[in-house]
Amino acid sequence: MPSIGLGTWPLDDIQAGAAVAHALDAGYRLIDTAENYGNEEGIGEGIGSTSVPREELFITSKFNVQWHSVQGVQDAWENSCKRLGMEYLDLFLIHWPNPQEGNYVQAWEGLVKLLKRGRVRAIGTSNFTVGQLQELMDATGVVPDVNQVQHSPFWLNDERLAFHAKHGILTEGWAPLGRGKHDLLSSAPVLAAAEDHRVTPAQAVLRWQIERGVVPIPKTSSPERLAENLDVFTFNLSPEEIKAIDALDGTADEPADPMSFGH
């Protein structure tokens, strides 16, 4: 799995297709989408407009709560593959646990079946808590490959990151730049790191994500920013810079709550 990818929410089909085509030309290989984004068809067209071989790509999608059953996951996979114009997915995720519905274990059992049948290369979750991850593992004996979570300097959740590390679950971060809120990119520690390394504030934050062991998936449709976001492998933040950025944790509004939100 590539160390950085392209997020595509809330781009529509046309915007997402153009962004993906530009991203692949710039060197991206990880593309993240979801049924709920409503842009899988556009992403498939964007991929088809380039000459990048399918085997070089890492395509992730996620499915909604109405498919939270063993058969439902099979149907969700077929629908996503059809919209994307692909025969398989590299990573398929339960988008939200929706605990009020109580069916995420059955959804996980469906993903395990897909994996065993070779329909996907990896399976995982999105927005799951430590307790919910443990429940999946206890029920099936299968550890998620990935848990995609809201992760930025404002929302660290060290307990969850430690659990991921202990069990070999890769952390993938959505909204890695803080969703443009709370002035993350103009905060003092981010500006200081960016100035020290002669990079943009966004590059400094994305490098912070990578050095924390997180795969960030920033969203942008700008060709210039696509190139900038990918260019974060020529410098390293110092331990002091990482610690200073870590100190932003808890200084913004609470992140989305997977116990009460989902689709």
Side-chain angles (χ1 to χ4, degrees):
M1 185 174 180
S3 299
I4 190 169
L6 175 69
T8 61
W9 183 87
L11 304 177
D12 62 23
D13 274 324
I14 294 175
Q15 294 168 328
V20 165
H22 286 307
L24 295 180
D25 287 342
Y28 286 81
R29 292 298 179 263
L30 166 59
I31 306 297
D32 180 88
T33 185
E35 171 190 6
N36 206 65
Y37 299 171
N39 60 21
E40 288 174 309
E41 290 186 4
I43 286 173
E45 292 173 0
I47 292 171
S49 71
T50 74
S51 60
V52 179
R54 172 66 181 91
E55 58 270 19
E56 292 185 12
L57 303 177
F58 196 98
I59 307 301
T60 300
S61 195
K62 304 178 279 289
F63 58 90
N64 288 348
V65 66
Q66 66 261 37
W67 310 109
H68 281 200
S69 66
V70 174
Q71 180 57 46
V73 172
Q74 171 71 34
D75 295 339
W77 173 83
E78 290 178 355
N79 293 338
S80 280
C81 285
K82 182 178 180 179
R83 288 189 291 264
L84 286 161
M86 297 178 179
E87 296 182 355
Y88 68 94
L89 297 174
D90 297 279
L91 177 64
F92 206 25
L93 307 177
I94 305 172
H95 201 160
W96 290 87
N98 289 278
Q100 68 277 9
E101 301 295 333
N103 297 323
Y104 55 78
V105 171
Q106 289 87 344
W108 184 244
E109 291 170 345
L111 278 176
V112 171
K113 284 196 171 187
L114 277 182
L115 182 66
K116 290 180 177 178
R117 294 171 59 194
R119 299 295 192 263
V120 292
R121 295 175 61 197
I123 56 176
T125 56
S126 184
N127 305 299
F128 272 57
T129 67
V130 166
Q132 290 162 347
L133 292 171
Q134 188 65 62
E135 189 176 354
L136 299 183
M137 293 157 56
D138 290 343
T140 64
V142 179
V143 179
D145 295 304
V146 172
N147 190 26
Q148 185 184 112
V149 297
Q150 189 173 7
H151 185 270
S152 85
F154 293 138
W155 310 302
L156 299 187
N157 198 329
D158 283 330
E159 177 193 5
R160 182 166 56 191
L161 293 180
F163 184 89
H164 289 178
K166 177 181 178 181
H167 294 282
I169 301 170
L170 181 67
T171 304
E172 189 174 26
W174 63 269
L177 300 176
R179 303 181 76 177
K181 298 179 179 179
H182 312 298
D183 301 318
L184 172 62
L185 299 185
S186 60
S187 64
V190 170
L191 289 176
E195 182 178 358
D196 185 54
H197 297 281
R198 298 182 181 180
V199 297
T200 68
Q203 287 173 311
V205 172
L206 292 174
R207 185 65 209 178
W208 170 88
Q209 296 271 7
I210 290 167
E211 297 207 24
R212 271 187 143 264
V214 175
V215 174
I217 45 172
K219 184 275 298 180
T220 182
S221 57
S222 162
E224 293 78 13
R225 288 179 182 170
L226 281 167
E228 284 182 0
N229 289 349
L230 196 61
D231 186 20
V232 292
F233 298 96
T234 58
F235 66 99
N236 296 291
L237 301 182
S238 70
E240 293 76 19
E241 288 169 331
I242 294 173
K243 185 176 180 180
I245 295 174
D246 285 352
L248 293 171
D249 184 32
T251 62
D253 294 344
E254 290 295 314
D257 181 6
M259 301 303 292
S260 60
F261 179 81
H263 35 250

